[in-house]
Amino acid sequence: MQHLAGICWPHEATVGHITVATSQLSGHFPADQGDDALVACVLVAAGKYRNGAARHWCRTHQTYWGVKADLAALAHGGQRRCARHAEKMGYALHPPVIDLAACASVTISRAPGGAMEVATLPAGAQATPSGRCAAVAICTSDRALFPGTGIVQVNITPPALLAYTQAASGGQAPGCVDCARCGHPHLDLGSFAQTPHRRHYCGNCGTDSTHSPAPMVSSPLHALAIRFAGLLTFA
């Protein structure tokens, strides 16, 4: 098991977890980047099932844990892992980290092959990362952006960038709703990013009872784009 600075993302998910309180990943990573990582589960309490059994949410693989099959696997193998623990994930180790306070402008755009292009204009003499990358982290000292969450960075992953830019260019009412339970901003992916809706599932704690005031496609990228308009652009 490796413990490294990095960013990961599931290939098949409708919600995501890209606003993080740590930059560390735990798992097995064959290279510096790719689509075949095995990343350790991060399970957090997520209320109960209808039958009263305790339910947990896996932040890594974006699925619940606690059904009979999960309990049987725990009794057999002694490890608490979600049903998707063996699914391969996209990842980028030691990704570029952009401090918005050091930049005069930042543009993050989609590039061929699922990569992204980062163009930065430094503020003063301090250099900032530019060029093509698999994923990139955005850091900001603005604690009012996601108050009370402990978020230290927002990870810009290929599926998150795709979902947000397509929703924004297609007029799909992009916005950003915070979880009613934990306060983390919600990220819609895949089919959830194609149609505005009011009920949102939290990728951080698994709560499914957050409703936005109006139908929207939610993304933390929208909150960043609005707060840092003129400085940060997603394309």
Side-chain angles (χ1 to χ4, degrees):
M1 182 76 70
Q2 299 167 284
H3 305 279
L4 301 166
I7 294 172
C8 70
W9 57 93
H11 297 302
E12 299 293 336
T14 53
V15 296
H17 175 58
I18 61 173
T19 45
V20 298
T22 175
S23 61
Q24 295 290 308
L25 288 179
S26 297
H28 300 284
F29 311 100
D32 288 336
Q33 64 185 54
D35 59 5
D36 56 352
L38 292 175
V39 186
C41 294
V42 177
L43 294 166
V44 295
K48 296 182 179 181
Y49 289 101
R50 291 181 179 179
N51 64 0
R55 183 176 71 170
H56 288 72
W57 173 254
C58 182
R59 289 175 176 167
T60 304
H61 303 101
Q62 300 289 292
T63 191
Y64 291 110
W65 180 94
V67 298
K68 290 181 179 180
D70 296 327
L71 298 176
L74 173 61
H76 177 74
Q79 290 183 291
R80 183 175 295 188
R81 302 185 300 189
C82 78
R84 298 174 59 183
H85 71 274
E87 289 187 9
K88 301 295 180 66
M89 299 185 68
Y91 69 100
L93 300 180
H94 306 293
V97 179
I98 296 178
D99 180 0
L100 293 180
C103 300
S105 70
V106 178
T107 300
I108 302 175
S109 56
R110 287 182 285 151
M116 57 185 67
E117 195 78 32
V118 178
T120 64
L121 178 64
Q126 186 171 351
T128 54
S130 294
R132 187 165 294 188
C133 57
V136 62
I138 296 288
C139 293
T140 171
S141 59
D142 186 352
R143 296 296 177 239
L145 187 60
F146 305 117
T149 61
I151 292 170
V152 297
Q153 69 184 42
V154 179
N155 295 333
I156 315 301
T157 66
L161 183 62
L162 174 64
Y164 177 63
T165 54
Q166 285 188 338
S169 63
Q172 294 295 331
C176 185
V177 63
D178 296 334
C179 175
R181 180 172 181 263
C182 72
H184 275 236
H186 173 72
L187 172 65
D188 284 314
L189 294 173
S191 59
F192 276 22
Q194 296 172 7
T195 304
H197 51 281
R198 291 192 62 236
R199 186 179 182 183
H200 305 273
Y201 292 69
C202 181
N204 180 65
C205 72
T207 296
D208 58 1
S209 58
T210 296
H211 291 75
S212 54
M216 69 169 63
V217 171
S218 181
S219 175
L221 277 62
H222 185 73
L224 286 172
I226 296 299
R227 172 62 183 84
F228 297 104
L231 169 60
L232 178 61
T233 302
F234 298 109

